[in-house]
């Protein structure tokens, strides 16, 4: 059977996206070029690899088997590159990092500091939600993940590297903004802006309130910290966010922290990596950099 690495790589991307066009975009190839390679691969194995369903693609049984092998083979080929880079030292290589949106400001500082020391390492940083972080750990897509709490049921190594204080924020003109100390029960009567389902911050807040036996009277939902901060600034209500997301707004006087009893609610940030992915020299160097507390933040 004659098949090439290039065909397997293209096939793996097409299977991942269930789309030839998106595979082409990933690999900087035209759709006809992708289509031709898949056709040749189907001829080589003597069976169709995809069922064409409407505009989409679904893997056939042969396709599913080949997809598993393609993933393993392309991962091994990437590994050859990494090992050769390591033999050369940390002068070259690549590092794929995925982080929760809430820790993105820290992560950008970390990448900046790391890049200064290791300018030859190509870093890609994906800022995304918890659900996508979990799937990247499942598929070994990321070398390193920074997240709020490590998944319990997955095979990962997780180490805490920094506190994550959650604080209650308000617009500076809010009637509670000048108070010295506020009880939780009192703020619970206010309107609160909450993050989208799947946000680690939101899960932590809900757990905390359940534990305290307190329910929020009125809640509005907004996805992402930016929307929450703008909403609070606009006077829509209060919110509980990580202090790591509001440095600029506090400095500019656009938001303020309320001294609510029981806050800050201190969580931790974890650096996480899948145990069944090779721990490259670049990933190790980045972890060491984070765990040594050398990031200027
Ligand atoms: P977020 O933060 O999902 O609320 O952005 C990540 C986490 O705290 O786990």
């Amino acid at each position: 059977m004659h098949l090439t690495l290039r065909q397997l790589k293209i096939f793996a991307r097409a299977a991942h996206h269930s789309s030839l066009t998106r595979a082409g975009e990933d690999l900087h190839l035209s759709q006809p070029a992708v289509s031709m390679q898949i056709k040749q691969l189907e001829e080589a194995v003597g069976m169709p690899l995809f069922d064409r369903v409407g505009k989409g693609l679904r893997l056939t049984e042969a396709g599913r088997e080949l997809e598993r092998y393609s993933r393993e083979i392309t991962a091994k080929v990437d590994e050859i590159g990494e090992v050769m880079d390591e033999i050369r030292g940390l002068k070259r290589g690549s590092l794929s990092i995925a982080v929760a949106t809430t820790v993105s400001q820290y992560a950008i500082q970390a990448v900046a500091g790391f890049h200064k020391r290791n300018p030859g390492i190509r870093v890609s940083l994906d800022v995304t939600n918890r659900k996508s972080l979990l799937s990247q750990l499942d598929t070994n897509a990321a070398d390193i993940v920074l997240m709020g709490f490590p998944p319990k049921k997955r095979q990962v190594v997780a180490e805490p590297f920094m506190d994550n204080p959650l604080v209650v924020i308000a617009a500076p003109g809010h009637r509670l903004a000048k108070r010295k100390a506020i009880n939780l029960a009192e703020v619970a009567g206010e309107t609160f802006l909450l993050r989208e389902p799947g946000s680690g911050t939101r899960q932590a807040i809900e757990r905390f309130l359940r534990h305290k036996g307190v329910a929020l009277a009125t809640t509005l939902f907004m996805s992402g910290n930016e929307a929450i901060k703008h909403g609070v600034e606009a006077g829509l209500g209060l919110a509980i966010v990580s202090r790591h997301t509001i440095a600029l707004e506090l400095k500019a006087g656009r938001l303020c922290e309320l001294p609510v009893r029981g806050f800050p609610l201190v969580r931790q940030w974890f650096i996480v990596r899948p145990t069944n992915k090779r721990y490259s020299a670049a990933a190790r160097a980045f972890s060491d950099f984070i765990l040594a507390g050398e990031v200027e933040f």
Side-chain angles (χ1 to χ4, degrees):
M1 191 191 314
H2 179 73
L3 39 84
T4 66
L5 269 178
R6 179 174 149 80
Q7 287 167 347
L8 290 181
K9 193 168 174 186
I10 293 173
F11 168 68
R13 292 323 289 163
H16 175 77
H17 289 300
S18 304
S19 155
L20 300 187
T21 312
R22 290 193 54 200
E25 283 165 6
D26 256 16
L27 299 165
H28 307 290
L29 293 171
S30 68
Q31 199 263 1
V34 173
S35 188
M36 171 65 79
Q37 296 292 328
I38 301 285
K39 188 160 164 270
Q40 286 173 356
L41 191 56
E42 289 182 321
E43 279 163 11
V45 300
M47 278 176 284
L49 298 169
F50 291 109
D51 285 324
R52 274 78 180 165
V53 206
K55 279 196 166 172
L57 295 178
R58 199 169 42 216
L59 287 169
T60 59
E61 189 187 344
R64 278 199 301 279
E65 280 301 313
L66 190 65
E67 195 259 346
R68 194 166 53 80
Y69 281 106
S70 303
R71 231 179 324 118
E72 285 171 15
I73 291 167
T74 46
K76 282 286 171 207
V77 171
D78 288 346
E79 208 173 298
I80 297 175
E82 286 169 17
V83 172
M84 294 302 130
D85 287 338
E86 273 163 34
I87 294 170
R88 270 187 221 109
L90 273 173
K91 290 194 178 60
R92 275 185 46 198
S94 60
L95 175 62
S96 161
I97 307 167
V99 306
T101 42
T102 301
V103 78
S104 64
Q105 290 180 11
Y106 168 89
I108 289 163
Q109 291 299 325
V111 169
F114 181 76
H115 179 69
K116 219 182 260 168
R117 294 177 182 206
N118 305 284
I121 308 283
R122 251 181 312 113
V123 178
S124 78
L125 176 68
D126 186 19
V127 177
T128 185
N129 61 21
R130 181 173 172 85
K131 191 166 164 220
S132 158
L133 294 176
L134 294 176
S135 110
Q136 296 199 37
L137 284 171
D138 283 344
T139 56
N140 283 347
D143 297 306
I144 299 280
V145 169
L146 303 185
M147 66 197 310
F149 46 97
K152 286 208 189 88
K153 295 198 189 107
R154 288 167 171 86
Q155 302 216 311
V156 296
V157 178
E159 291 176 84
F161 65 91
M162 183 171 66
D163 281 351
N164 174 19
L166 302 189
V167 293
V168 183
I169 55 166
H174 192 277
R175 66 177 187 89
L176 294 174
K178 298 276 177 300
R179 289 271 298 275
K180 291 270 177 294
I182 311 169
N183 286 329
L184 182 59
E186 191 177 348
V187 278
E190 298 285 324
T191 299
F192 268 82
L193 311 190
L194 277 188
R195 285 277 304 277
E196 73 283 0
S199 148
T201 308
R202 173 164 161 177
Q203 286 177 26
I205 295 166
E206 287 175 342
R207 209 174 311 132
F208 170 75
L209 293 173
R210 250 194 327 271
H211 177 70
K212 294 278 177 199
V214 169
L216 298 177
T218 317
T219 47
L220 300 175
F221 298 101
M222 297 205 172
S223 59
N225 291 305
E226 289 306 307
I228 297 265
K229 289 189 293 183
H230 287 136
V232 172
E233 242 187 283
L236 272 177
L238 307 179
I240 301 170
V241 296
S242 167
R243 194 181 271 154
H244 295 155
T245 64
I246 50 169
L248 290 179
E249 288 81 0
L250 290 181
K251 205 160 154 210
R254 300 207 308 263
L255 291 174
C256 65
E257 282 185 30
L258 295 185
V260 178
R261 292 198 172 88
F263 286 86
L265 173 60
V266 182
R267 303 176 64 213
Q268 302 237 273
W269 289 118
F270 287 83
I271 179 163
V272 182
R273 65 181 170 86
T275 36
N276 50 5
K277 182 170 168 71
R278 215 178 62 85
Y279 195 24
S280 71
R284 223 170 309 141
F286 186 73
S287 290
D288 290 348
F289 181 57
I290 296 257
L291 290 169
E294 291 180 38
V295 178
E296 282 174 35
F297 182 63

